[in-house]
Amino acid sequence: MSSNFRISRAFKNAKKICFNANSKFVFFSDSHRGNNGFADDFARNRNMFKHALEYYYNNGFTYIELGDGDELWENRRFERIFRANKHIYMWLKKFHKENRLHFIWGNHDMKYKNPATIRKNLHYYYDSVSDTKKELLIGASFSEAIFLEDENTGKGIFLLHGHQADWFNYVFWRLSSFLVKVLWKPLQILGFSDPTSPAQNFKERIKVEYKLEKWIQENNHQMMITGHTHRPRFPDKNEIPFFNDGSCVHPRSITGIEIENNEICLIKWHITTKENGTMQIIRTVLEGPESLTYYMH
């Protein structure tokens, strides 16, 4: 099964969401929410991510997570992930209650292809204060891909994680998961990088991006937004319409993509120091905004 076939199948079966000029979307991926242990790359950005969620919720955005939200390769028990990130899931619950939350599964949370795993992990949580089980994200669902369709033109944006172009992390994801648990997680604590990850292997990242770009070229330059490689991408108007929201585990920031007023931009949330020495979390626009009409063919 080729990467072209996997991407095309995801496109054909993509969940459809309609949008218009009043719609607001924010895309994050590759949070890799962990248990706050030594190998948890998300831990250093947790409060930054929570602050960003507050901003998007209060400003009427729909949150779409493009895969690898929960780190299910390194962590066998979701309860530990939840305890470390309860405040994050409480904000996701707010989005979910207003039908402003959509998930795509990636290779590190590919277990969410199984509805039973979603029910087990995300429908309820145990509240230690009241000693009761409470509702979390009942009815939440995960898709392999989403197609955002313009209500007026019928043109759209193809959203997926991007590991469909990474045969090892798609076809052999169970083996990859096993290797991460027993080998690379302990070595990561010592400073070694996982060579199977395109985010940490330059050659693999180039291969994955090339396959995704090739699919776009062969499919009428279909606009696409992915994650997986952790490398933010924002093309010029005359380039292949291939975007990447980056990740939420950069050393000192998180990156994402926003759509508002039919415009798209690449943003970064990071910490700065004011003149009086206090620190604050700010949002910075890295690229754009540019009109979607330049990219949707």
Side-chain angles (χ1 to χ4, degrees), residues 9-10 20 83 97 106 109 123 127 137 147 163 218 265 289:
R9 182 180 60 185
N20 53 44
R83 285 200 299 268
K97 280 189 173 181
D109 54 6
H123 279 198
D127 182 41
L137 303 177
F147 186 76
H163 67 303
E218 294 176 350
C265 65

Side-chain angles (χ1 to χ4, degrees), residues 157-188:
I157 307 168
F158 182 28
L159 312 174
L160 76 167
H161 182 60
H163 67 303
Q164 290 80 2
D166 183 350
W167 71 272
F168 189 81
N169 282 303
Y170 190 97
V171 178
F172 298 109
W173 71 271
R174 295 184 186 277
L175 174 60
S176 297
S177 176
F178 173 77
L179 292 174
V180 166
K181 282 189 178 76
V182 303
L183 180 61
W184 294 115
K185 182 179 179 180
L187 290 177
Q188 183 182 9

Side-chain angles (χ1 to χ4, degrees), residues 90-104:
M90 291 300 102
W91 277 101
L92 293 177
K93 182 179 180 180
K94 290 176 180 285
F95 281 96
H96 182 60
K97 280 189 173 181
E98 299 184 13
N99 197 30
R100 290 196 277 145
L101 178 67
H102 302 277
F103 291 114
I104 286 175

Side-chain angles (χ1 to χ4, degrees), residues 206-218:
I206 294 301
K207 288 180 183 179
V208 168
E209 292 176 347
Y210 171 77
K211 291 176 182 177
L212 292 168
E213 287 184 329
K214 183 179 179 182
W215 186 92
I216 292 172
Q217 290 177 303
E218 294 176 350

